[in-house]
Amino acid sequence: MGTLLARLTLIAAGLSALVPVLWTFLNSFKNRVDIVSAVPKFFFSPTLDNYLYVLNREAVAAGLVNSIVVVGAAVLIGAVLGLPAAYALARYPLRWGNDIQFFVLSMRFLPPVAVAIPLMVIWLQLELYDSRTALIATYTLLTLSTVIWLAIPAFKAVPKEVEEAGRVDGYGPYAIFFRISLPIAARSLVGAIAFGFVLVWNEFLIALMLTTSEAKTLPIVASELSQLGRDVPWGILNASVILLSLPPLLMVGVLSGFLNAAFKRKREAA
């Protein structure tokens, strides 16, 4: 009975997450009259007008470029700085190691508005407001804290005996990190990096407060497609949500495929 209840709970949780996504996907192919009908329609004449409207807007193309540049740079910098920091905290005990970990995690406790307001003042004084540079620096703080916190357990799970064997073979600290610890913990680290990517790709409030026109990201552009009143373009909004969700899914899929191929080649070589 306990196993059955656990399975039913998992199924219910999966459906609660999957059904809204599927319904949004269906609505993106509907005309407005089919979406606002009193009885939900599962059978309808599909249309691509919603996607064509979104893709043909210059603001969407500009927002997509800004999102790719800003998020890609922030995730790359966060990974380059965060992974060595996480390894150092995991392998070299410090007097304030626990305090550093708590401080890193506490950066995620603050509401976005508490971070955005002082940063907006700083970027205005530096004349970097509404620029990609300001967004990259801001998002790097988010990805850095996320990568460090999630990568520490991954490096702790690497057997110390393997690293000690590397030292016996003459490897230095940097060689042990790059040639032993990093490949072993790669699967978990991909999850940390992917989570950081999704976190900043979908970020809305900070981007809303730090941009006006030049550096607007895709979530800001998607929100501007909505209108007030009864003429809300629901089909266009659903299409923009689907398009906004594709890059994180593709990123996770590409990284997973690359990692699986790398491990497959390693096993075949062994």
Side-chain angles (χ1 to χ4, degrees), residues 60-78:
V60 173
L64 179 61
V65 172
N66 287 334
S67 290
I68 293 175
V69 172
V70 170
V71 176
V75 171
L76 179 61
I77 297 173

Side-chain angles (χ1 to χ4, degrees), residues 24-87:
T24 301
F25 180 74
L26 288 177
N27 285 342
S28 66
F29 292 98
K30 292 181 181 179
N31 293 306
R32 184 177 182 276
V33 64
D34 296 325
I35 297 176
V36 299
S37 62
V39 180
K41 290 187 177 182
F42 294 94
F43 302 98
F44 54 90
S45 298
T47 178
L48 294 176
D49 292 342
N50 298 322
Y51 287 97
L52 294 176
Y53 178 86
V54 174
L55 295 175
N56 288 332
R57 290 178 63 90
E58 295 182 0
V60 173
L64 179 61
V65 172
N66 287 334
S67 290
I68 293 175
V69 172
V70 170
V71 176
V75 171
L76 179 61
I77 297 173
V80 170
L81 298 179
L83 294 181
Y87 178 76

Side-chain angles (χ1 to χ4, degrees), residues 11-146:
I11 292 174
L15 290 176
S16 65
L18 186 60
V19 169
V21 177
L22 292 177
W23 191 246
T24 301
F25 180 74
L26 288 177
N27 285 342
S28 66
F29 292 98
K30 292 181 181 179
N31 293 306
R32 184 177 182 276
V33 64
D34 296 325
I35 297 176
V36 299
S37 62
V39 180
K41 290 187 177 182
F42 294 94
F43 302 98
F44 54 90
S45 298
T47 178
L48 294 176
D49 292 342
N50 298 322
Y51 287 97
L52 294 176
Y53 178 86
V54 174
L55 295 175
N56 288 332
R57 290 178 63 90
E58 295 182 0
V60 173
L64 179 61
V65 172
N66 287 334
S67 290
I68 293 175
V69 172
V70 170
V71 176
V75 171
L76 179 61
I77 297 173
V80 170
L81 298 179
L83 294 181
Y87 178 76
L89 291 171
R91 277 292 181 260
Y92 301 99
L94 301 174
R95 181 179 178 183
W96 301 283
N98 292 332
D99 296 332
I100 294 174
Q101 294 184 47
F102 180 78
F103 173 75
V104 170
L105 182 62
S106 66
M107 296 177 65
R108 305 298 309 138
F109 293 166
L110 296 175
V113 67
V115 178
I117 292 177
L119 285 175
M120 181 172 62
V121 176
I122 293 173
W123 298 131
L124 282 171
Q125 293 178 348
L126 295 177
E127 298 183 355
L128 290 175
Y129 181 77
D130 192 24
S131 67
R132 293 177 181 175
T133 303
L135 274 184
I136 290 173
T138 302
Y139 283 169
T140 298
L141 297 176
L142 301 180
T143 56
L144 188 61
S145 61
T146 302

